[in-house]
Amino acid sequence: MSEFTMEIDGVSLPLDEDGFLQEPDLWNEKVAQAFAAPEGIEGELTEEHWNVINYLREYYLKNQIAPMIRRLCKETGCNIKKIYELFPSGPAKGACKLAGLPKPTGCV
Amino acid sequence: MISQNSETRSHKAQMVLDRFEKKLNRQMVGSLVSCVHCGLCTDSCHYVLANPGDPTYAPAYKADKIRKLFKRHFDWTGKVFPKWVKAGTVMTDEELEELKDTVFGKCTNCRRCTLNCPMGVDFATFNRMARGLLVSVGVMPEGVATVSKDQWEIGNQMGVLPEDYLDTLEWMSEEVSEELGDPAAVIPVDKMDADIVYTINPREVKYDPRSIADALKVFHAAKANWTMPSEGWDMTNFGLFSGDDDLGGAVARRVYEKTIELRGKCLVMSECGHGYRSTRCEGPNWAKFDIPFEMESSVDTMLRYIKEGRIKVDKSKNPDLVTFHDSCNNARSCGLTEEPRELLQLVCENFQEMVPNRAENFCCTGGGGAMSMTEYTPRRLKSAVIKADQMKATGAKIVVTTCHNCVDGLNDLIRHYKLDMKVTQLVNLVANALVWE
């Protein structure tokens, strides 16, 4: 078990060694905002960010896996370039982290 | 059979020792007996350089954890005077966990120590062997288990479903044909008798298919007779990382058999270091397969297209200073050092070598499957200071590499060490430099 945690409203949430939330159920909107700055997103998350984050969560909670970028783009109306603009560290390491998903598997 | 102490040895430890013997081919034994503990490997390892004063990272130290088992159970010296040759055994599951921490968590199998060993000890090869022994008794990092399972059961390492893969190819076809205003600029799927069967890393299709779109542009510009297979399209191979030759063989066989079914003339692998090594160099042995077609990296293909005048490129479209990171599997293990440089300099105006380079280059620190082993990320990032310093010294803002795994490894360290750099691959630069006629 990792020793890394983040503090949200005085509650300590466990993270893995790559900084991903270990329990997707402990996620809330403040978690996403707290992850934003370290992932290269300045200031408050916008409606466009939330659109992507909410879709990722919805898909993950239903399927227990992160969606393909194809589905993400189709369902949110963002193209790939837009996704990378919104989340500079990319859909896997950036957007999934903000949405409280565990680290995607594979060599990423 | 290893009988010593077998009444008190754990079942898993007993299985590891029993299976050890089957792995002892000439190459393995040569490396296990010939270390003279001269220490030359020590300074070649990025883990050691980033952790001076911690001897547990030294290649010879790590090697001895495996070597002691060989000495104790299979080599006459360990049977006659075990203490002199530091022979030792393994008794408990806890000891296997400790071994796991070393072979998975303290080495990326980059083989830099191998090249710097005057005795020719190939530590990475028997480190991989030890990983395989542990995997065979279920002792492995969780990430390795997950990815191996996906590759066994779903047929690719990121659990991509067939309909999602095909839908993504269609999507890229739509994007590119629209961009070029040419309805013929699409990806032919399962086309028979193609000159090129193009296989990729699942990372491309799952998270960033822009590299697939760029490959499509290059093939289309070259008027290539090419195709992408509907199955057997994942040329990555976790068998290389996990040490499981059965998995390695099964994964490679899938790619080979599909290429044969399509009667493809040449199997081309996109830019992926371990995928290239696994499919081109190791796979035929793991799969016990005679290959009736050609195999090459897309780097070779793109370079040939330029040399033969099949595509025209304008390097002024890539004016920024770039540097090049050699993938360990491509450069050190497969000798792919000059082709990427030649191609790079045909499509980029300004190039600055990283030092050291080619077979002496340092690992991105994400090699050997390390990107999937979250528990070791803090060590990985600490050891990455060597790579970070090497990159910073070039003054370039763009680092080019021919490996998807390196892309992610380098991106991680760029963020960790706050370097103002971006990572890209040759296919992106070639596509960007294309001159359309």
Side-chain angles (χ1 to χ4, degrees), chain A residues 2-4 15-20 22 35 38-40 59 65-74 78-85 88-94 96-97 103-108, chain B residues 143 146-147 150 157-161 163-165 167-168 171-172 174-175 201 203-210 236 238 241 274 369-378 380-381 404-405 408 412 415:
Chain A
S2 151
E3 64 207 36
F4 297 91
L15 304 178
D16 76 6
E17 292 85 346
D18 279 302
F20 284 76
Q22 289 206 336
F35 276 139
E39 294 303 319
Y59 187 94
I65 187 172
M68 305 270 297
I69 187 152
R70 170 57 175 150
R71 284 178 192 267
L72 181 63
C73 289
K74 213 186 216 171
C78 295
N79 61 26
I80 305 179
K81 200 165 159 256
K82 184 79 198 173
I83 299 279
Y84 276 82
E85 274 167 24
S89 43
K93 292 208 160 171
C96 285
K97 186 181 276 185
K103 181 175 177 263
T105 58
C107 49
V108 289
Chain B
T146 309
V147 180
D150 278 349
Q157 64 147 298
M158 290 185 189
V160 176
L161 299 172
E163 59 267 30
D164 283 335
Y165 166 75
D167 190 33
T168 304
W171 178 33
M172 287 302 105
E174 283 164 19
E175 297 268 318
N201 182 319
R203 178 185 173 280
E204 299 181 68
V205 73
K206 178 121 189 182
Y207 298 112
D208 195 355
R210 289 177 296 186
T236 69
F238 237 67
F241 300 152
H274 94 272
M371 300 305 292
S372 68
M373 307 173 204
T374 298
E375 56 268 59
Y376 308 127
T377 296
R380 171 164 67 80
L381 290 172
H404 281 287
N405 202 91
D408 286 317
D412 261 18
R415 219 168 48 133

Side-chain angles (χ1 to χ4, degrees), chain B residues 319-365:
Chain B
D320 297 330
L321 178 65
V322 302
T323 187
F324 183 70
H325 162 79
D326 285 277
S327 130
C328 302
N329 282 312
N330 276 343
R332 251 194 294 282
S333 290
C334 299
L336 196 68
T337 54
E338 303 315 308
E339 297 85 348
R341 287 178 167 74
E342 200 181 344
L343 180 58
L344 183 62
Q345 290 174 84
L346 286 167
V347 296
C348 289
E349 274 190 323
N350 293 299
F351 169 56
Q352 171 66 50
E353 277 286 7
M354 208 181 281
V355 181
N357 54 55
R358 295 177 169 82
E360 286 289 343
N361 190 36
F362 283 104
C363 175
C364 70
T365 66

Side-chain angles (χ1 to χ4, degrees), chain B residues 15 48 56 107 112 165 174 285 296 304 318 321 359 368 385:
Chain B
M15 294 302 280
V48 175
T56 67
C107 172
R112 196 166 189 272
Y165 166 75
E174 283 164 19
N285 286 330
E296 69 183 17
R304 195 172 60 245
N318 293 317
L321 178 65
V385 67

Side-chain angles (χ1 to χ4, degrees), chain A residues 30-50:
Chain A
K30 284 184 180 168
V31 172
Q33 188 60 57
F35 276 139
E39 294 303 319
I41 302 160
E42 284 171 27
E44 292 284 311
L45 292 169
T46 65
E47 206 170 302
E48 285 177 313
H49 288 113
W50 288 115

Side-chain angles (χ1 to χ4, degrees), chain A residues 22-25 56-67 100-105, chain B residues 146 150 158-159 206-207:
Chain A
Q22 289 206 336
E23 304 285 339
D25 294 343
L56 283 173
R57 276 199 71 73
E58 199 182 300
Y59 187 94
Y60 178 80
L61 293 175
K62 203 169 140 200
N63 301 291
Q64 304 299 305
I65 187 172
L101 272 58
K103 181 175 177 263
T105 58
Chain B
T146 309
D150 278 349
M158 290 185 189
K206 178 121 189 182
Y207 298 112

